[in-house]
Amino acid sequence: MPFEDELGKLLDDTAGSFTADRDALAEGSMVRGRRRLARRRASAVAASALAVVLATTAGVHLVGGQDRDGRSGNPASPSPPPPPSPGGAYGHFAVSAKDMRNILRNGLGTISGVVVEHPQVKGTGSTGANRPATASIDFEDGFGAARVSLSVRRVDPAPADLKQFITCPPEEDSPFEECTTQPDNRAVKGYTEAGKAGGIRKWEVTMLSSDGYLIDVATHNVAGAGEPVTRAPRMTPAKLRNLAAFIDGAFTRAGAPNPLGTVEPGSSSERGDILPLLKDLLPRRLHIRSEGGTGGDGHVVVVDPGTGRQTYVEALRIAGDEEVWNETLPDGTKVGTRHLPGTRPGVVRLRADALRLNGLWISVSAYNAASPSSAKSGDAPLLTAAELKVIATSRTWLLAR
């Protein structure tokens, strides 16, 4: 089981009360932290460093996740990379404060399953890649106050210096109590207030998206400065990972928010929630002749303008875990691809399935016919198995309600 999932289970099991075992665990963790701190600094310097840590965890993130320069509040993070040139492929970034608030609320409800009571949501928008957009939410859930914060910045993902954001430092020099570098451009970091059992704790996930987004999500076990600390952080590292993936899907490659990610929280699902996502993920060379669907499935008939060949493509959410999986992606997503016979002579069905760690299962199929029961139109579907796999594994599906 991945580190973050094991740790997530531990935090879930212990949330809400401090037991003797948890006290011992927390104390042991902070003893290690104090020993590291002692090796790095003299005692006088350590005192001032502690003040900086407290000011950061209880101040910077506790006022919306930014410092005065607009950077994500993290005392150990390197300075943000320079913004891409205005004319570059990743130079466009525009999102409103309202959209950021909605994205965070939708991500918490859809992906993390967090029950939010008495929320206080803040957000800042952005009109360029030189400034991050942020959002934060303070809420209660029966175990005390908590905060989740978000920062998104647009970057060119190619430069090597961006790796410092998603790579853990050497343990002897690390300010983190825990830190793991993940295989899919993600780092999971854990903080504990040095020297205080049961003090302020923070978990943070930083992810670099292939579409050019540097995403940082964090959770605290306290909402405001001076408030009592009575519980573990509400969001586990595994839930933060899923939330970061949702945020990635909530933005398009063009640098704009995805409409399905910014809908008003709590609004009812509408017909075609799956359909617009499927249409957006189709190869651009294909022309859509007809379309349809409900909230949980969608289908299109695409045509090759040159030959007139038609292909029926469908996508749907399904439940269970009985598929034959061919591979597992670095983020834990199971993938299965199959070549199946159709009901009519010469009709074939290509199918690709993707099952994520949070239980979301998307299945996409393509037939070399205008419908599953129609006569064949060409010898093969207009989409390849590789293209179906790309569609099925897209993080954009995390927006589907």
Side-chain angles (χ1 to χ4, degrees):
M1 181 182 293
F3 159 79
E4 58 196 40
D5 294 314
E6 290 183 0
L7 187 57
K9 184 178 184 305
L10 174 63
L11 290 177
D12 274 342
D13 292 342
T14 57
S17 63
F18 285 96
T19 65
D21 288 342
R22 178 173 159 184
D23 285 337
L25 178 63
E27 182 62 26
S29 175
M30 284 174 283
V31 165
R32 293 192 299 273
R34 290 196 296 271
R35 287 172 179 170
R36 292 193 205 109
L37 195 62
R39 289 197 300 267
R40 292 194 299 267
R41 298 176 178 87
S43 58
V45 178
S48 62
L50 172 58
V52 173
V53 172
L54 293 178
T56 303
T57 56
V60 176
H61 265 288
L62 295 179
V63 295
Q66 286 186 315
D67 61 18
R68 285 176 292 182
D69 294 326
R71 297 191 298 268
S72 173
N74 181 347
S77 295
S79 299
S85 60
Y90 304 98
H92 178 72
F93 184 43
V95 58
S96 69
K98 179 180 179 181
D99 283 344
M100 288 296 295
R101 295 193 298 268
N102 288 350
I103 288 172
L104 180 56
R105 285 293 306 272
N106 289 331
L108 285 175
T110 302
I111 300 303
S112 305
V114 174
V115 177
V116 174
E117 298 179 2
H118 312 297
Q120 297 183 21
V121 189
K122 300 178 182 179
T124 64
S126 178
T127 55
N130 62 337
R131 181 177 178 83
T134 68
S136 67
I137 180 170
D138 298 339
F139 61 93
E140 296 179 359
D141 61 358
F143 296 100
R147 164 167 291 192
V148 175
S149 58
L150 161 68
S151 175
V152 182
R153 141 189 330 267
R154 195 86 201 274
V155 297
D156 181 345
D161 59 358
L162 285 173
K163 292 296 183 182
Q164 60 188 321
F165 288 90
I166 53 174
T167 303
C168 294
E171 183 177 356
E172 61 271 15
D173 297 323
S174 177
F176 311 124
E177 288 290 326
E178 303 285 351
C179 187
T180 59
T181 300
Q182 304 295 314
D184 56 341
N185 286 340
R186 189 180 66 240
V188 179
K189 313 162 194 174
Y191 295 87
T192 301
E193 180 184 336
K196 272 194 177 181
I200 296 174
R201 296 185 65 88
K202 181 178 77 170
W203 289 104
E204 182 177 12
V205 170
T206 304
M207 185 180 78
L208 178 60
S209 163
S210 60
D211 286 339
Y213 294 101
L214 189 62
I215 300 167
D216 186 273
V217 290
T219 182
H220 300 77
N221 59 340
V222 63
E227 296 188 11
V229 178
T230 59
R231 39 90 50 76
R234 180 63 182 90
M235 296 280 287
T236 64
K239 290 180 178 179
L240 284 178
R241 177 198 61 211
N242 290 330
L243 177 60
F246 177 91
I247 303 303
D248 184 17
F251 287 91
T252 70
R253 295 179 181 178
N258 188 314
L260 282 181
T262 59
V263 295
E264 199 67 28
S267 60
S268 59
S269 297
E270 300 177 359
R271 289 179 61 86
D273 278 352
I274 287 286
L275 179 59
L277 299 178
L278 172 62
K279 291 167 60 178
D280 185 62
L281 293 170
L282 289 172
R284 295 295 179 247
R285 70 177 187 278
L286 301 176
H287 291 226
I288 298 176
R289 171 163 288 181
S290 63
E291 61 185 58
T294 66
D297 64 77
H299 66 264
V300 297
V301 178
V302 295
V303 61
D304 181 345
T307 64
R309 291 167 52 201
Q310 298 182 73
T311 288
Y312 181 88
V313 185
E314 63 180 357
L316 66 155
R317 287 181 303 221
I318 54 182
D321 188 6
E322 299 179 359
E323 181 60 48
V324 177
W325 307 109
N326 306 119
E327 62 178 310
T328 301
L329 302 182
D331 66 355
T333 300
K334 295 179 181 179
V335 180
T337 56
R338 288 192 286 171
H339 186 286
L340 304 167
T343 58
R344 298 285 295 273
V347 174
V348 297
R349 176 190 181 190
L350 298 181
R351 175 174 168 176
D353 292 70
L355 176 62
R356 298 188 178 279
L357 288 176
N358 69 344
L360 176 65
W361 184 348
I362 294 293
S363 180
V364 186
S365 295
Y367 299 78
N368 60 330
S371 75
S373 59
S374 298
K376 76 170 186 177
S377 178
D379 293 331
L382 295 173
L383 285 85
T384 66
E387 288 174 325
L388 285 181
K389 175 184 171 181
V390 170
I391 293 175
T393 57
S394 172
R395 282 178 171 147
T396 307
W397 293 116
L398 292 169
L399 300 177
R401 292 175 292 160

